[in-house]
Amino acid sequence: MALDVTDHGAVIAFCADKQIGLVVIGPEAPLVDGLSDSLRASGVPVFGPSQAAAQLEGSKGFTKDMCARAGIPTAGFVRTSSLEEARTALARFAAPYVLKADGLAAGKGVVIAETLAEAEDALADMFGGAFGGAGAQVVIEEFMQGEEASFFALTDGAAIVPFGSAQDHKRVGDGDVGPNTGGMGAYSPAPVLTPELQARVMAEIIAPTVQAMREEGNPYQGVLFAGLMLTADGPKLIEYNARFGDPECQVLMMRLQSDLVPILLACALGTLEGVEIAFRPETALTVVMAAKGYPGTPEKGGAIALGDAEAEGAKVFHAGTALADGALVASGGRVLNVTATGASVTEAQARAYDAVDKVNFPSGFCRRDIGHREVAREASA
């Protein structure tokens, strides 16, 4: 049956009728809409933060202010609420300029402008409605130099357990060019996040966040997905996601050895203390196959034939597909996540692209260089 997640009463009734023992809220919009609060109030255990805590993803300005209060390392910033205020604030920064729509923009609300003129044009677009209500406020940040990586931790509001690392590829084109997307591919773990750096991330970013949210009356339960910049001064927070994220979730789940459901239930029930999580040692790499036109207006309805893409142990995750007269077709921007594992990033990459080449998707495209940084490092090691 089709269930409208914005109709909280209908979701609650469905859970009661089906005797649901745990709800895992995947997308960010229902979290920011407060679905977890409605379910918890009805007695249904939920994996996912409250509406108040989900502001860590729902409002970049909220997160930046929290970082300032808690002493969490992040880029310098200014919050602006009008085009005039934003243009004036640009004078406090040097190029390139980092401009972020404050609200949810499906991973596309960030613009890196190389010149002042580009920044002013981007601000005009943002305040002019390019990202809808998400651009009613804009955060301007200093540009951070370094390599990006992602770190994940689970928390029940008090206890915190690390949940691995990954590296995403945000730009649409090979060589990290073109506009930002929701992610064109990823691999896990991210060797650049060494055990020493992960310990710093836990101590300097994750733990202070959980403590601050608890002390300020908004305890956070769920997954904290920290987008990081590894700078010369150490790891700094770029932003938080309040969910596992896509395409990072695919590579994390390919490596997870422990049973996922008891772990998520422990987060929901506040019993995470002492829980241990095991991952397989291999690398997982995923390649997003997107519809032509993405991240703009994607071509929908294109036919897809998976063939024997999964014959050698690869896994094809469906992200934007539908059935039309019994045939598989594209129904979104990012359509498939073709995922494989290997003893190294190089091996996982080769297996993933071998599977990609077995998929017949004429109106689709993908990047051909997912994992390129680590493949180069492995080749020179």
Side-chain angles (χ1 to χ4, degrees):
M1 63 174 287
L3 192 61
D4 181 1
V5 295
T6 66
D7 185 343
H8 294 192
V11 176
I12 291 168
F14 176 86
C15 291
D17 180 58
K18 303 299 182 181
Q19 298 182 326
I20 301 298
L22 173 68
V23 173
V24 179
I25 302 179
E28 64 273 28
L31 292 169
V32 172
D33 187 45
L35 179 59
S36 60
D37 301 86
S38 299
L39 287 166
R40 286 192 182 99
S42 71
V44 179
V46 181
F47 178 84
S50 66
Q51 183 177 42
Q55 291 180 91
L56 282 179
E57 177 168 5
S59 169
K60 293 178 175 64
F62 173 89
T63 300
K64 300 296 282 191
D65 288 345
M66 184 276 298
C67 288
R69 292 192 301 271
I72 294 169
T74 188
F77 71 100
V78 174
R79 296 181 69 174
T80 65
S81 55
S82 71
L83 179 57
E84 181 181 3
E85 183 184 9
R87 283 177 168 164
T88 300
L90 285 175
R92 299 171 56 177
F93 297 86
Y97 303 90
V98 180
L99 316 172
K100 297 182 176 181
D102 181 73
L104 298 177
K108 303 169 194 170
V110 178
V111 174
I112 300 176
E114 298 295 335
T115 67
L116 181 61
E118 288 178 10
E120 290 179 336
D121 288 345
L123 288 172
D125 288 341
M126 286 179 163
F127 283 108
F131 299 109
Q137 293 190 21
V138 175
V139 175
I140 303 174
E141 292 186 4
E142 67 172 334
F143 182 81
M144 292 190 290
Q145 295 282 357
E147 187 168 345
E148 289 190 39
S150 302
F151 182 80
F152 301 80
L154 302 183
T155 179
D156 60 6
I160 309 169
V161 179
F163 199 79
S165 63
Q167 275 194 295
D168 186 12
H169 299 65
K170 283 290 187 186
R171 300 295 186 112
V172 72
D174 286 7
D176 298 311
V177 299
N180 270 341
T181 71
M184 295 300 295
Y187 60 91
S188 175
V192 70
L193 262 177
T194 63
E196 293 77 16
L197 283 176
Q198 291 189 45
R200 286 191 62 179
V201 172
M202 284 289 288
E204 299 172 17
I205 297 175
I206 302 295
T209 296
V210 173
Q211 180 178 350
M213 295 295 285
R214 184 175 66 251
E215 291 178 350
E216 294 175 10
N218 300 318
Y220 189 99
Q221 291 176 284
V223 59
L224 272 174
F225 169 173
L228 306 169
M229 185 67 75
L230 306 181
T231 74
D233 298 321
K236 294 187 178 183
L237 180 69
I238 300 173
E239 63 185 18
Y240 273 126
N241 288 330
R243 58 207 157 83
F244 281 109
D246 172 11
E248 293 86 354
C249 185
Q250 285 87 340
V251 289
L252 288 170
M253 295 306 150
M254 288 288 281
R255 297 182 53 240
L256 182 65
Q257 188 171 338
S258 300
D259 188 343
L260 180 63
V261 174
I263 298 169
L264 303 187
L265 186 60
C267 287
L269 299 179
T271 58
L272 189 63
E273 183 70 39
V275 170
E276 296 183 358
I277 303 174
F279 285 91
R280 297 180 181 88
E282 64 259 37
T283 292
L285 185 143
T286 189
V287 178
V288 170
M289 300 192 75
K292 290 178 181 177
Y294 179 79
T297 303
E299 296 181 16
K300 296 184 180 181
I304 304 166
L306 298 181
D308 59 350
E310 295 184 329
E312 301 299 323
K315 175 70 176 178
V316 180
F317 293 90
H318 293 243
T321 63
L323 289 174
D325 298 324
L328 188 66
V329 299
S331 64
R334 292 184 297 161
V335 179
L336 302 170
N337 286 75
V338 183
T339 314
T341 59
S344 63
V345 176
T346 303
E347 185 173 283
Q349 182 197 61
R351 290 177 176 175
Y353 280 111
D354 180 62
V356 164
D357 292 337
K358 294 174 181 175
V359 176
N360 184 13
F361 181 19
S363 63
F365 75 98
C366 68
R367 281 183 58 164
R368 303 296 306 192
D369 66 343
I370 301 302
H372 65 90
R373 296 183 196 87
E374 199 58 41
V375 168
R377 283 191 281 256
E378 290 177 353
S380 62

